Amino acid sequence: QVQLVESGGGLVPSGGSHRLSCVASGRIGSLHFMSWYRQAPGKQRELVAKIANDGTITYSDSVKGRFTIPRDSAKYTVELQMNRLRPEDTAVYYCYVEGLDSGLYDFEQWGPGTQVTVSS
């Protein structure tokens, strides 16, 4: 079983920066993708940023140029560095990972989510 622990949510002023962190632990064999999603009130959950095992990164258009997704593969850690935050970035942010467990079975796991509120 794989667990995700997120940290770093909070209240941030518009235009400010903030960093989220997600650590995966448990029966991990390898991770294919580590991602951040977010869900704002009344909206569907959407992809924010995704990093593949080979380092390929995908950003949503709404955060491109403002957010980055640093990763430490050896520590199964992924972060979300958020810069020039806007009120519309307010959402619950979820870490999501896909990979193989130590038994070589596919798995996917969501974190519990962490609230980020950007004040105007």
Side-chain angles (χ1 to χ4, degrees):
Q1 200 169 10
V2 176
Q3 299 84 35
L4 299 181
V5 176
E6 300 154 346
S7 61
L11 178 64
V12 191
S14 181
S17 296
H18 203 66
R19 196 173 185 100
L20 304 179
S21 180
C22 174
V23 180
S25 64
R27 299 181 57 200
I28 300 171
S30 62
L31 296 178
H32 301 325
F33 297 98
M34 302 187 80
S35 309
W36 287 97
Y37 284 74
R38 68 185 181 186
Q39 188 165 18
K43 295 189 176 181
Q44 288 189 325
R45 192 171 297 189
E46 62 174 359
L47 175 68
V48 176
K50 180 176 187 176
I51 183 165
N53 189 42
D54 66 1
T56 301
I57 296 174
T58 302
Y59 293 106
S60 71
D61 288 343
S62 61
V63 307
K64 201 172 293 184
R66 299 188 297 124
F67 291 12
T68 60
I69 183 168
R71 175 194 63 177
D72 186 333
S73 299
K75 297 181 180 179
Y76 302 130
T77 298
V78 66
E79 297 181 317
L80 186 68
Q81 176 63 43
M82 304 180 288
N83 301 317
R84 292 182 280 140
L85 281 160
R86 306 166 180 167
E88 54 263 39
D89 294 317
T90 295
V92 177
Y93 284 72
Y94 296 91
C95 182
Y96 175 69
V97 300
E98 301 164 81
L100 292 176
D101 66 18
S102 56
L104 301 182
Y105 290 99
D106 289 324
F107 77 89
E108 57 181 24
Q109 185 66 44
W110 288 94
T114 186
Q115 176 72 45
V116 174
T117 302
V118 183
S119 61
S120 55

